[in-house]
Amino acid sequence: MPSAESPESSSPASRGVMRWSLGRHVAVVLVVAVAAVVVVLGLLWLVLGAPRIRVIGVLGPADTYDAIKIALTVVAGSGGVVALVVAYRRQQLGETAEAREHDKTRTERFGAAAEQLAANQPAVRMAGASAMARLADEWLQERQMCIDVLCGYLRMPHAPDPPSDEEALRVWQCEREVRLTILRLIAAHLRDDSVQSWQGYDLDFTGAVLDEADFRRARFTGGEIIFIKALFVGHGHDQIVFDEAEFAEGAHVYFRLAEFRGGTLRFNRAKFNGGWVTFDSACFADAQVIFRDAAFTAGEILFEAAEFRGGRVDFTGAAFAGGIVNFGEHRLPSIYSTAPPAQFTGGIVDFAQAADFSHPPHFGLQEAPPGLRLPVGVDIADLP
């Protein structure tokens, strides 16, 4: 998550002080200094046993000389306080000017990167994506904005299938490479070995067309990861990979209304240990969705109202040792409604080779529908 404060960030208190006039600032500091001296002298007097102060006779020349020295010391101290205040304000003004210059430079860089992302040449768009990611690493205060721009590019319309025309195919392939570049940049920042981590930030892929991405070893530790209405349409060996990814406490991942039309979506050895992942109302058509050796130990994974009408969802070697995996209907008390259970109208959902079925998914069914395979000896009527 976000690292140390950047130099351009200043506290609201310091910004409020800098709005004071110099005279007011000096007066306040002098009053505070005098109050501090009075308190220290008072405490010292109490520590010494509250001795009485005696005045003996008329003040002599030596006493007058001592009084003058004390007065000069007070004046010098006051001058020192004024000098310190002036130096402090000069430093603050310099830092404020530097911060404004930083903000101006970064704003210009943001605009330049955005313009590159809108360029006609694919190479320029790739350069713009890299520039925007680099700016996100440096600009902590606006990191989410930079990430939103990269995700926004992926939400732009993109044909899911390659065109037959040769020139159109070339353009489609170039655009696909730009999108893959952006996905690689995002995924790299979600791994633990990233120099600058984007873990915990929101990622919005709503309606995006995705045919290949590698989120291997990514950690989703917070924020909202949104694939609502996304179209997963891999061609041939194209894959969306979440192998060894971790969905931890605080993460909310939405595959709601997503369509898995082709290719392979892999969650091999993924860890679901506290996050909230929903596939509700998603459509599994001809894609292969694989949870091989995945571990479900905490959190919730919801499939209510999902439709399985083709392809294959494979849980071979998966361990259901905790948390909630729900294929049944789900009560939504906040809106006084109930989400219907998953529909098995085709394809295969395979739990037969699950490694640990001690906390099985919720189905809410009395009879196993066609295509649903359970471990040997398990009757769906006995499951929750």
Side-chain angles (χ1 to χ4, degrees):
M1 272 299 295
S3 55
E5 284 285 333
S6 54
E8 69 270 18
S9 60
S10 56
S11 66
S14 65
R15 290 196 297 269
V17 169
M18 289 303 297
R19 294 191 183 100
W20 294 355
S21 66
L22 180 59
R24 181 183 180 186
H25 201 163
V26 170
V28 169
V29 172
L30 286 175
V31 169
V32 172
V34 170
V37 169
V38 171
V39 170
V40 170
L41 291 176
L43 291 175
L44 181 61
W45 181 68
L46 291 174
V47 169
L48 294 175
R52 292 184 178 182
I53 300 175
R54 299 177 181 179
V55 178
I56 301 176
V58 181
L59 296 177
D63 297 324
T64 303
Y65 179 69
D66 289 339
I68 293 174
K69 286 196 297 183
I70 293 174
L72 291 175
T73 301
V74 171
V75 171
S78 300
V81 170
V82 173
L84 287 174
V85 170
V86 172
Y88 170 76
R89 288 176 63 91
R90 184 181 295 114
Q91 178 185 357
Q92 289 293 312
L93 290 172
E95 291 179 355
T96 300
E98 183 180 358
R100 288 175 179 169
E101 188 63 29
H102 274 296
D103 284 340
K104 179 181 178 182
T105 301
R106 287 172 176 170
T107 301
E108 292 173 351
R109 288 173 58 189
F110 177 84
E115 287 183 5
Q116 286 181 302
L117 283 169
N120 292 326
Q121 298 85 357
V124 177
R125 296 199 295 273
M126 289 184 188
S130 297
M132 188 66 72
R134 186 164 54 253
L135 182 59
D137 290 342
E138 300 174 10
W139 202 2
L140 178 60
Q141 291 176 308
E142 299 297 344
R143 178 173 293 170
Q144 184 64 64
M145 178 178 67
C146 297
I147 294 173
D148 289 342
V149 171
L150 293 175
C151 292
Y153 188 97
L154 296 174
R155 295 196 302 270
M156 298 291 287
H158 177 64
D161 300 312
S164 56
D165 179 74
E166 183 175 346
E167 179 58 25
L169 176 61
R170 187 190 66 80
V171 174
W172 182 87
Q173 289 174 333
C174 289
E175 173 62 16
R176 181 174 181 269
E177 285 301 318
V178 176
R179 300 166 75 88
L180 290 178
T181 297
I182 295 176
L183 286 168
R184 292 189 193 104
L185 289 168
I186 294 174
H189 284 85
L190 297 177
R191 300 187 179 105
D192 286 339
D193 58 359
S194 175
V195 176
Q196 291 291 337
S197 175
W198 294 358
Q199 294 174 4
Y201 288 89
D202 297 336
L203 300 172
D204 187 357
F205 303 106
T206 300
V209 176
L210 303 173
D211 58 5
E212 184 178 342
D214 188 355
F215 290 97
R216 198 186 319 260
R217 298 188 308 280
R219 291 186 69 235
F220 300 95
T221 58
E224 296 193 343
I225 316 301
I226 303 174
F227 293 94
I228 294 176
K229 295 184 179 180
L231 176 60
F232 295 87
V233 56
H235 306 91
H237 298 289
D238 294 341
Q239 296 181 334
I240 309 292
V241 178
F242 288 89
D243 290 356
E244 301 177 29
E246 180 180 357
F247 299 87
E249 183 70 32
H252 295 81
V253 185
Y254 301 83
F255 290 95
R256 178 177 298 153
L257 296 168
E259 182 179 354
F260 301 90
R261 187 187 297 177
T264 301
L265 179 65
R266 287 185 359 210
F267 292 88
N268 294 343
R269 298 175 300 284
K271 300 176 182 178
F272 298 85
N273 54 14
W276 185 84
V277 183
T278 178
F279 291 87
D280 64 289
S281 302
C283 178
F284 296 85
D286 295 323
Q288 304 290 316
V289 184
I290 303 174
F291 292 87
R292 189 163 297 165
D293 298 322
F296 300 87
T297 57
E300 293 184 69
I301 300 90
L302 308 177
F303 289 88
E304 65 261 19
E307 182 179 0
F308 299 89
R309 67 184 188 194
R312 183 185 185 92
V313 182
D314 187 358
F315 290 89
T316 298
F320 297 88
I324 297 173
V325 181
N326 186 29
F327 287 81
E329 67 178 20
H330 180 60
R331 180 69 180 169
L332 303 172
S334 60
I335 59 175
Y336 304 100
S337 181
T338 300
Q343 302 177 38
F344 298 86
T345 59
I348 296 174
V349 180
D350 190 357
F351 295 92
Q353 302 298 321
D356 184 347
F357 216 60
S358 57
H359 287 74
H362 296 226
F363 291 98
L365 301 173
Q366 295 300 312
E367 296 183 1
L372 177 60
R373 299 178 180 178
L374 298 175
V376 176
V378 175
D379 190 340
I380 195 169
D382 298 331
L383 298 179

